[in-house]
């Protein structure tokens, strides 16, 4: 990261990270400005001998360009071609071979760039999605597609998930190419579509174009870089080696359909559904610690400056019975600055996401449904056991609990498939990519602990995991809990300085794969 006129070192003291460098000192424009950092005025050469523009190596500038494209995906894919065309031009300016892969859905495309290496090692794939979830514009303080910088934070749909990560990784690679670097392996950068939803995501791409994305290891979204209580000083750097198990349930309540002028008090689908939701809303699945989550919480206890929080974590890890474990988990959640993240890492979660009932105001409907999105811990509580618990809980309510599978799949088949996913082991830590992630953390964040972790959400890693390819995840920027809540929510944003530091981190990761000489 270059400051004007002096260069800011890529490795900053742990406590100085976000607090000591003002946004204005970095030359960042506010309230919608382009905000380019000053880079070397005379770039060197690329693979083709052309110069790389400084703006393409500036993570904020590139992120703002990414955010300006509306790639909302409401469930049937998004319009990603204009975004892909912009990135294609970025890669072409660097002399990197790049192509757009069309899907059967118009303007919904994948982009694959391939930096050729020596071939001494198997290719590394960087997996980042271009689509984003929809926005509720009326609930945003700024234009969600303008990339505005306000008080040191860049706002926009996808700023965190995951155009910010894409920008940090791409600009880090371009900095290496600007220096004339060569790598010991091909580095494939896949900017895919349909990650949030749709039929033509990484699974479709793997089925039709596997030779273009075949790799020895994969890095995608995942692990969080979380802060101490001041919201900015790095506390713990994590990279995920496993995702939670994604599954859906549906509650269905039925009643008598009739005229709304004559309601039947004890025969209402909506009332029955409301009572069931109230019961399930108060329910929490039991705590389950696995080797992966134990590693994470042990590192968290070492990392925090809050002695009470550390003591609560150690109580959780030492608990000998369920009663003590549950009480300790509640204390950990209460004391954590990231309570919803840490709750999600301890138990199966369930979230009420879609409700449907009724079609006319003078008709009492005969049916009400509620979709529940669930995330289970691999090696913890099995999804089938969670389903059984929900059915026991609601056995006295007039609702049916259905397991939602893929089209044509029976409940038995769905649960068997989830059993297989639940039993999938975490990615091996004895790989050069994992060592690169760990080493880059030490060099970039100094004495901040680095740990493997479980990702509380899901990724596009399925096709590679099925083939035994190790895959890991990072969101390479320090975030606050408020920013974390903004993921898939309103006013999504990240710190500008954290993004810049995250690009430095990724630069160090890729340094491990540079050839000598």
């Amino acid at each position: 990261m270059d400051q004007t006129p002096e260069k800011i070192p890529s490795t900053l003291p742990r406590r100085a990270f976000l607090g000591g460098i003002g946004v204005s000192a970095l030359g960042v424009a506010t309230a919608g400005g382009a905000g380019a950092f000053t880079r070397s005025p005379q770039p060197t050469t690329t693979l083709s001998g052309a110069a790389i523009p400084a703006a393409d190596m500036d993570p904020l500038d590139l992120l703002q360009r990414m955010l300006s494209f509306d790639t909302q995906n409401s469930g049937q894919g998004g319009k990603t071609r204009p975004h892909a065309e912009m990135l294609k031009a970025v890669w072409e300016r660097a002399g990197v071979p790049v192509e757009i892969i069309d899907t059967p859905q118009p303007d919904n495309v994948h982009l694959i760039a391939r930096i050729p290496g020596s071939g001494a090692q198997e290719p590394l794939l960087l997996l980042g999605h271009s689509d984003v979830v929809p926005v509720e514009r009326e609930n945003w303080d700024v234009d969600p597609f303008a990339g505005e910088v306000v008080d040191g934070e860049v706002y926009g749909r996808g700023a965190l998930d995951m155009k910010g990560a894409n920008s940090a990784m791409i600009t880090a690679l371009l900095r290496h190419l600007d220096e004339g670097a060569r790598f010991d392996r091909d580095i494939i950068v896949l900017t895919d579509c349909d990650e949030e939803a749709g039929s033509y995501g990484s699974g479709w791409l793997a089925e039709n174009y596997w030779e273009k994305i075949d790799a020895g290891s994969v890095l995608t979204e995942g692990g969080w870089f979380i802060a101490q209580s001041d919201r900015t000083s790095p506390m713990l750097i994590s990279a995920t080696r496993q995702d939670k198990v994604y599954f859906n349930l549906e509650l269905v309540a039925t009643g008598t359909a009739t005229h709304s002028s004559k309601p039947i008090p004890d025969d209402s689908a909506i009332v029955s559904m409301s009572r069931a939701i109230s019961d399930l809303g108060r329910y929490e699945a039991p705590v389950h610690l696995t080797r992966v989550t134990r590693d994470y919480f042990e590192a968290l206890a070492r990392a925090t400056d809050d002695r009470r929080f550390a003591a609560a974590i150690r109580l959780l890890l030492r608990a000998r019975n369920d009663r003590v474990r549950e009480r300790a988990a509640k204390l950990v959640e209460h004391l954590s600055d990231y309570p919803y993240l840490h709750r999600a890492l301890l138990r199966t979660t369930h979230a009420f996401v879609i409700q449907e009932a009724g079609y006319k105001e003078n008709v009492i409907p005969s049916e009400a449904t509620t979709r529940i999105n669930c995330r289970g811990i691999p090696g913890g509580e099995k999804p089938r056991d969670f389903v059984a618990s929900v059915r026991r809980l609601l056995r006295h309510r007039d609702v049916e609990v259905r397991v939602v599978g893929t089209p044509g799949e029976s409940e038995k088949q769905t649960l068997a498939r989830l059993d297989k996913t639940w039993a999938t082991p975490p990615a091996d830590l004895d790989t050069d990519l994992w060592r690169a992630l760990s080493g880059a953390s030490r060099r970039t964040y100094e004495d901040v602990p680095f740990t493997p972790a479980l990702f509380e959400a899901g990724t596009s890693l399925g096709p590679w995991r099925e083939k035994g390819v190790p895959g890991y995840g990072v969101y390479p920027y320090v975030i606050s809990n408020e920013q974390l809540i903004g993921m898939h929510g309103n006013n999504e944003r990240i710190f500008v300085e954290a993004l810049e530091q995250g690009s430095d981190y990724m630069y160090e990761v890729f340094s491990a794969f540079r050839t000598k000489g």
Side-chain angles (χ1 to χ4, degrees), residues 52-308:
I52 298 179
D56 287 352
M57 296 182 288
D58 178 341
L60 177 60
D61 189 294
L62 183 58
L63 174 57
Q64 288 176 316
R65 278 179 273 164
M66 290 177 175
L67 294 174
S68 71
F69 293 95
D70 182 347
T71 56
Q72 292 179 87
N73 183 345
S74 298
Q76 299 299 321
K79 185 178 180 181
T80 62
R81 183 180 296 278
H83 178 272
E85 294 284 3
M86 181 275 291
L87 277 183
K88 184 172 183 284
V90 169
W91 289 117
E92 287 175 338
R93 285 192 289 270
V96 175
V98 59
E99 63 179 324
I100 288 176
I101 304 295
D102 291 292
T103 73
Q105 182 175 332
D107 292 328
N108 194 29
V109 304
H110 298 277
L111 181 74
I112 302 176
R114 192 178 194 113
I115 301 171
S118 71
Q121 302 294 333
E122 291 185 287
L124 164 64
L125 176 76
L126 305 180
L127 173 60
H129 61 86
S130 58
D131 59 328
V132 297
V133 297
V135 299
E136 299 172 333
R137 284 179 180 266
E138 67 277 11
N139 293 326
W140 282 66
D141 295 335
V142 298
D143 182 344
F145 299 105
E148 293 188 28
V149 176
V150 180
D151 295 331
E153 296 174 284
V154 55
Y155 285 67
R157 173 58 85 222
L160 191 160
D161 178 25
M162 71 169 293
K163 291 178 179 179
N166 294 342
S167 176
M169 293 181 189
I170 291 170
T171 54
L173 281 171
L174 293 176
R175 288 165 60 188
H176 279 289
L177 296 180
D178 185 57
E179 296 167 356
R182 293 295 184 269
F183 299 103
D184 62 3
R185 68 201 65 199
D186 286 8
I187 297 181
I188 308 165
V189 184
L190 167 59
T191 309
D192 73 349
C193 63
D194 282 12
E195 192 277 338
E196 298 293 357
S199 303
Y200 304 111
S202 63
W204 176 88
L205 190 65
E207 183 177 349
N208 293 278
Y209 297 94
W210 178 251
E211 73 282 358
K212 296 180 183 293
I213 56 175
D214 188 4
S217 57
V218 185
L219 181 63
T220 188
E221 59 189 328
W224 299 109
F225 294 13
I226 63 175
Q228 300 285 0
S229 295
D230 63 5
R231 300 174 63 245
T232 57
S233 298
M235 175 172 69
L236 183 65
I237 308 301
S238 72
T240 45
R241 56 188 297 219
Q242 194 173 38
D243 297 348
K244 290 186 80 173
V245 182
Y246 182 109
F247 62 103
N248 287 308
L249 303 180
E250 194 163 73
L251 302 185
V252 182
T254 58
T256 298
T258 186
H259 198 288
S260 62
S261 64
K262 296 178 287 296
I264 306 172
D266 297 323
D267 188 12
S268 166
I270 291 177
V271 172
S272 295
M273 179 62 68
S274 298
R275 290 169 177 164
I277 288 175
S278 179
D279 290 345
L280 191 52
R282 292 191 297 268
Y283 175 73
E284 283 200 317
V287 171
H288 281 272
L289 288 166
T290 66
R291 184 65 265 168
V292 175
T293 54
R294 278 189 175 275
D295 285 345
Y296 174 84
F297 282 102
E298 286 169 359
L300 184 61
R302 295 193 302 271
T304 180
D305 286 342
D306 186 333
R307 293 183 179 180
R308 292 180 63 215

Side-chain angles (χ1 to χ4, degrees), residues 18 21 35 41 87 100 117 139 153 159 169 180 189 216 223 228 342 347 373 389 398 448 457 470 501:
L18 288 174
I21 305 174
L87 277 183
I100 288 176
N139 293 326
E153 296 174 284
M169 293 181 189
V189 184
Q228 300 285 0
H342 291 142
R347 61 185 87 234
N373 182 242
S389 294
D398 190 18
V448 180
Q501 187 79 343

